[in-house]
Short mmCIF file of all heavy atoms in Angstrom, two decimals:
data_model
loop_
_atom_site.label_atom_id
_atom_site.label_comp_id
_atom_site.label_asym_id
_atom_site.label_seq_id
_atom_site.Cartn_x
_atom_site.Cartn_y
_atom_site.Cartn_z
N ILE A 29 0.85 -1.19 0.00
CA ILE A 29 0.00 0.00 0.00
C ILE A 29 0.88 1.25 0.00
O ILE A 29 1.77 1.40 0.84
CB ILE A 29 -0.92 0.02 1.23
CG1 ILE A 29 -1.90 -1.16 1.18
CG2 ILE A 29 -1.70 1.34 1.32
CD1 ILE A 29 -2.74 -1.31 2.44
N ASN A 30 0.64 2.14 -0.96
CA ASN A 30 1.41 3.38 -1.02
C ASN A 30 0.55 4.62 -0.85
O ASN A 30 1.06 5.74 -0.86
CB ASN A 30 2.21 3.47 -2.32
CG ASN A 30 1.34 3.29 -3.56
OD1 ASN A 30 0.30 3.94 -3.69
ND2 ASN A 30 1.75 2.41 -4.47
N GLU A 31 -0.77 4.44 -0.68
CA GLU A 31 -1.65 5.59 -0.47
C GLU A 31 -2.84 5.19 0.40
O GLU A 31 -3.52 4.21 0.13
CB GLU A 31 -2.15 6.14 -1.80
CG GLU A 31 -3.08 7.35 -1.65
CD GLU A 31 -3.55 7.90 -2.98
OE1 GLU A 31 -2.87 7.68 -4.00
OE2 GLU A 31 -4.59 8.57 -3.00
N ILE A 32 -3.05 5.96 1.47
CA ILE A 32 -4.23 5.81 2.31
C ILE A 32 -4.93 7.16 2.32
O ILE A 32 -4.34 8.18 2.67
CB ILE A 32 -3.86 5.38 3.74
CG1 ILE A 32 -3.16 4.02 3.73
CG2 ILE A 32 -5.10 5.31 4.62
CD1 ILE A 32 -2.68 3.55 5.09
N GLY A 33 -6.19 7.18 1.91
CA GLY A 33 -6.91 8.42 1.70
C GLY A 33 -7.34 9.13 2.98
O GLY A 33 -7.25 8.59 4.09
N GLU A 34 -7.84 10.34 2.80
CA GLU A 34 -8.35 11.12 3.92
C GLU A 34 -9.52 10.40 4.60
O GLU A 34 -10.36 9.80 3.94
CB GLU A 34 -8.80 12.51 3.44
CG GLU A 34 -7.67 13.38 2.94
CD GLU A 34 -8.11 14.81 2.68
OE1 GLU A 34 -9.27 15.15 3.00
OE2 GLU A 34 -7.31 15.59 2.14
N SER A 35 -9.53 10.48 5.92
CA SER A 35 -10.61 9.91 6.74
C SER A 35 -10.81 8.41 6.50
O SER A 35 -11.88 7.88 6.78
CB SER A 35 -11.94 10.65 6.45
OG SER A 35 -11.82 12.02 6.69
N ALA A 36 -9.77 7.74 6.03
CA ALA A 36 -9.90 6.31 5.66
C ALA A 36 -10.35 5.46 6.85
O ALA A 36 -11.14 4.52 6.68
CB ALA A 36 -8.59 5.79 5.11
N PHE A 37 -9.86 5.77 8.04
CA PHE A 37 -10.23 5.00 9.24
C PHE A 37 -10.90 5.89 10.29
O PHE A 37 -10.90 5.56 11.47
CB PHE A 37 -8.98 4.33 9.83
CG PHE A 37 -8.38 3.29 8.92
CD1 PHE A 37 -7.33 3.61 8.08
CD2 PHE A 37 -8.87 1.99 8.90
CE1 PHE A 37 -6.78 2.66 7.22
CE2 PHE A 37 -8.33 1.04 8.06
CZ PHE A 37 -7.28 1.37 7.21
N LYS A 38 -11.47 6.97 9.88
CA LYS A 38 -12.10 7.91 10.81
C LYS A 38 -13.25 7.24 11.57
O LYS A 38 -14.07 6.54 10.99
CB LYS A 38 -12.62 9.12 10.04
CG LYS A 38 -13.09 10.27 10.93
CD LYS A 38 -13.40 11.50 10.08
CE LYS A 38 -13.79 12.68 10.95
NZ LYS A 38 -14.01 13.91 10.14
N PHE A 39 -13.25 7.44 12.88
CA PHE A 39 -14.27 6.88 13.77
C PHE A 39 -14.31 5.35 13.76
O PHE A 39 -15.36 4.75 14.02
CB PHE A 39 -15.66 7.43 13.45
CG PHE A 39 -15.79 8.92 13.69
CD1 PHE A 39 -16.32 9.74 12.72
CD2 PHE A 39 -15.39 9.48 14.89
CE1 PHE A 39 -16.44 11.11 12.93
CE2 PHE A 39 -15.49 10.84 15.12
CZ PHE A 39 -16.03 11.66 14.14
N CYS A 40 -13.16 4.72 13.49
CA CYS A 40 -13.04 3.27 13.71
C CYS A 40 -12.71 3.10 15.19
O CYS A 40 -11.54 2.97 15.57
CB CYS A 40 -11.97 2.67 12.81
SG CYS A 40 -12.43 2.60 11.07
N ARG A 41 -13.71 3.09 16.01
CA ARG A 41 -13.54 3.26 17.45
C ARG A 41 -13.01 2.04 18.18
O ARG A 41 -12.72 2.12 19.37
CB ARG A 41 -14.87 3.70 18.06
CG ARG A 41 -15.33 5.08 17.58
CD ARG A 41 -16.63 5.48 18.26
NE ARG A 41 -17.03 6.85 17.93
CZ ARG A 41 -17.83 7.17 16.93
NH1 ARG A 41 -18.32 6.20 16.15
NH2 ARG A 41 -18.16 8.42 16.68
N ALA A 42 -12.92 0.89 17.52
CA ALA A 42 -12.47 -0.33 18.20
C ALA A 42 -11.02 -0.69 17.89
O ALA A 42 -10.44 -1.53 18.58
CB ALA A 42 -13.38 -1.50 17.85
N ILE A 43 -10.42 -0.09 16.86
CA ILE A 43 -9.05 -0.43 16.48
C ILE A 43 -8.08 -0.04 17.60
O ILE A 43 -8.12 1.08 18.09
CB ILE A 43 -8.66 0.27 15.17
CG1 ILE A 43 -9.38 -0.37 13.99
CG2 ILE A 43 -7.15 0.21 14.94
CD1 ILE A 43 -9.04 0.24 12.64
N LYS A 44 -7.22 -1.00 17.98
CA LYS A 44 -6.30 -0.77 19.08
C LYS A 44 -4.87 -0.50 18.65
O LYS A 44 -4.11 0.15 19.38
CB LYS A 44 -6.34 -1.96 20.05
CG LYS A 44 -7.67 -2.10 20.78
CD LYS A 44 -7.62 -3.19 21.83
CE LYS A 44 -8.94 -3.27 22.60
NZ LYS A 44 -8.91 -4.31 23.66
N SER A 45 -4.48 -1.03 17.50
CA SER A 45 -3.10 -0.79 17.05
C SER A 45 -3.05 -0.82 15.52
O SER A 45 -3.84 -1.50 14.87
CB SER A 45 -2.13 -1.83 17.64
OG SER A 45 -2.42 -3.12 17.14
N ILE A 46 -2.11 -0.06 15.00
CA ILE A 46 -1.92 0.02 13.55
C ILE A 46 -0.43 0.03 13.25
O ILE A 46 0.35 0.74 13.91
CB ILE A 46 -2.55 1.30 12.96
CG1 ILE A 46 -4.07 1.23 12.99
CG2 ILE A 46 -2.07 1.56 11.54
CD1 ILE A 46 -4.68 0.42 11.87
N ILE A 47 -0.02 -0.77 12.28
CA ILE A 47 1.34 -0.69 11.73
C ILE A 47 1.18 -0.22 10.29
O ILE A 47 0.59 -0.91 9.46
CB ILE A 47 2.08 -2.04 11.78
CG1 ILE A 47 2.21 -2.50 13.24
CG2 ILE A 47 3.45 -1.93 11.13
CD1 ILE A 47 2.82 -3.90 13.36
N LEU A 48 1.69 0.96 10.01
CA LEU A 48 1.53 1.52 8.67
C LEU A 48 2.48 0.86 7.68
O LEU A 48 3.60 0.48 8.04
CB LEU A 48 1.77 3.03 8.70
CG LEU A 48 0.69 3.85 9.41
CD1 LEU A 48 1.11 5.32 9.50
CD2 LEU A 48 -0.64 3.74 8.70
N PRO A 49 2.08 0.74 6.41
CA PRO A 49 2.94 0.15 5.39
C PRO A 49 4.23 0.95 5.19
O PRO A 49 4.27 2.16 5.41
CB PRO A 49 2.07 0.21 4.12
CG PRO A 49 0.66 0.30 4.62
CD PRO A 49 0.74 1.08 5.89
N GLN A 50 5.27 0.26 4.76
CA GLN A 50 6.60 0.85 4.68
C GLN A 50 6.76 1.88 3.57
O GLN A 50 7.74 2.62 3.54
CB GLN A 50 7.65 -0.26 4.51
CG GLN A 50 7.77 -1.18 5.70
CD GLN A 50 8.13 -0.43 6.97
OE1 GLN A 50 9.10 0.33 7.00
NE2 GLN A 50 7.36 -0.62 8.02
N ASN A 51 5.81 1.94 2.63
CA ASN A 51 5.96 2.87 1.51
C ASN A 51 5.11 4.13 1.64
O ASN A 51 5.13 4.99 0.75
CB ASN A 51 5.59 2.16 0.19
CG ASN A 51 6.54 1.05 -0.15
OD1 ASN A 51 7.74 1.18 0.01
ND2 ASN A 51 6.00 -0.08 -0.60
N ILE A 52 4.37 4.27 2.73
CA ILE A 52 3.51 5.43 2.91
C ILE A 52 4.35 6.69 3.13
O ILE A 52 5.25 6.70 3.95
CB ILE A 52 2.56 5.21 4.11
CG1 ILE A 52 1.51 4.16 3.79
CG2 ILE A 52 1.89 6.52 4.53
CD1 ILE A 52 0.51 4.60 2.75
N GLU A 53 4.05 7.74 2.38
CA GLU A 53 4.75 9.02 2.53
C GLU A 53 3.89 10.07 3.22
O GLU A 53 4.41 10.98 3.86
CB GLU A 53 5.22 9.54 1.17
CG GLU A 53 6.28 8.66 0.52
CD GLU A 53 6.84 9.26 -0.76
OE1 GLU A 53 6.35 10.33 -1.18
OE2 GLU A 53 7.75 8.66 -1.33
N ILE A 54 2.56 9.96 3.07
CA ILE A 54 1.66 10.96 3.63
C ILE A 54 0.56 10.28 4.45
O ILE A 54 -0.12 9.39 3.95
CB ILE A 54 1.01 11.82 2.52
CG1 ILE A 54 2.08 12.54 1.70
CG2 ILE A 54 0.05 12.85 3.13
CD1 ILE A 54 1.51 13.30 0.49
N ILE A 55 0.45 10.69 5.71
CA ILE A 55 -0.72 10.33 6.51
C ILE A 55 -1.68 11.49 6.33
O ILE A 55 -1.45 12.59 6.83
CB ILE A 55 -0.35 10.13 7.99
CG1 ILE A 55 0.70 9.00 8.12
CG2 ILE A 55 -1.59 9.77 8.80
CD1 ILE A 55 1.25 8.85 9.53
N LYS A 56 -2.74 11.28 5.62
CA LYS A 56 -3.57 12.39 5.16
C LYS A 56 -4.51 12.92 6.26
O LYS A 56 -4.63 12.35 7.34
CB LYS A 56 -4.36 11.96 3.92
CG LYS A 56 -3.46 11.66 2.73
CD LYS A 56 -4.25 11.42 1.46
CE LYS A 56 -3.32 11.19 0.29
NZ LYS A 56 -4.07 10.99 -0.98
N ASN A 57 -5.17 14.02 5.94
CA ASN A 57 -6.06 14.67 6.89
C ASN A 57 -7.10 13.68 7.44
O ASN A 57 -7.70 12.92 6.68
CB ASN A 57 -6.80 15.83 6.23
CG ASN A 57 -5.87 16.93 5.76
OD1 ASN A 57 -4.68 16.92 6.04
ND2 ASN A 57 -6.42 17.88 5.03
N ASP A 58 -7.29 13.72 8.75
CA ASP A 58 -8.37 12.97 9.41
C ASP A 58 -8.25 11.45 9.29
O ASP A 58 -9.21 10.73 9.59
CB ASP A 58 -9.74 13.36 8.85
CG ASP A 58 -10.11 14.80 9.17
OD1 ASP A 58 -10.30 15.10 10.35
OD2 ASP A 58 -10.22 15.61 8.24
N THR A 59 -7.11 10.93 8.88
CA THR A 59 -7.01 9.49 8.60
C THR A 59 -7.47 8.64 9.77
O THR A 59 -8.23 7.68 9.60
CB THR A 59 -5.57 9.11 8.22
OG1 THR A 59 -5.18 9.81 7.05
CG2 THR A 59 -5.47 7.61 7.93
N PHE A 60 -7.01 8.97 10.97
CA PHE A 60 -7.37 8.18 12.16
C PHE A 60 -8.17 9.00 13.18
O PHE A 60 -8.23 8.65 14.36
CB PHE A 60 -6.10 7.62 12.81
CG PHE A 60 -5.31 6.70 11.91
CD1 PHE A 60 -4.18 7.15 11.28
CD2 PHE A 60 -5.73 5.41 11.68
CE1 PHE A 60 -3.45 6.31 10.43
CE2 PHE A 60 -5.02 4.56 10.85
CZ PHE A 60 -3.88 5.01 10.21
N PHE A 61 -8.79 10.05 12.73
CA PHE A 61 -9.57 10.92 13.60
C PHE A 61 -10.64 10.10 14.36
O PHE A 61 -11.39 9.33 13.77
CB PHE A 61 -10.27 11.99 12.75
CG PHE A 61 -11.02 13.03 13.55
CD1 PHE A 61 -10.48 14.29 13.75
CD2 PHE A 61 -12.27 12.75 14.09
CE1 PHE A 61 -11.18 15.26 14.47
CE2 PHE A 61 -12.97 13.70 14.81
CZ PHE A 61 -12.42 14.96 15.00
N GLY A 62 -10.67 10.26 15.67
CA GLY A 62 -11.71 9.63 16.46
C GLY A 62 -11.56 8.14 16.67
O GLY A 62 -12.53 7.47 17.06
N CYS A 63 -10.36 7.60 16.43
CA CYS A 63 -10.10 6.18 16.73
C CYS A 63 -9.81 6.09 18.23
O CYS A 63 -8.65 6.01 18.65
CB CYS A 63 -8.94 5.66 15.90
SG CYS A 63 -9.29 5.55 14.13
N SER A 64 -10.86 6.11 19.01
CA SER A 64 -10.73 6.34 20.44
C SER A 64 -10.10 5.18 21.21
O SER A 64 -9.66 5.36 22.35
CB SER A 64 -12.09 6.69 21.04
OG SER A 64 -13.05 5.70 20.71
#
């Protein structure tokens, strides 16, 4: 994966951990907003 869009995981309230892919250059606006 080389692109993750804006708000891609917004309000995914149950996710506890994330390991981002090694080729990602931009974590876009609101990507993980509200992942409480």
Side-chain angles (χ1 to χ4, degrees):
I29 296 173
N30 54 50
E31 180 179 337
I32 299 176
E34 293 189 7
S35 303
F37 295 95
K38 189 172 184 177
F39 295 130
C40 288
R41 295 182 174 92
I43 288 181
K44 293 186 177 181
S45 65
I46 289 280
I47 299 175
L48 290 174
Q50 294 301 308
N51 295 318
I52 289 291
E53 294 186 357
I54 301 174
I55 300 173
K56 295 188 177 181
N57 297 352
D58 294 294
T59 299
F60 299 102
F61 185 102
C63 292
S64 54

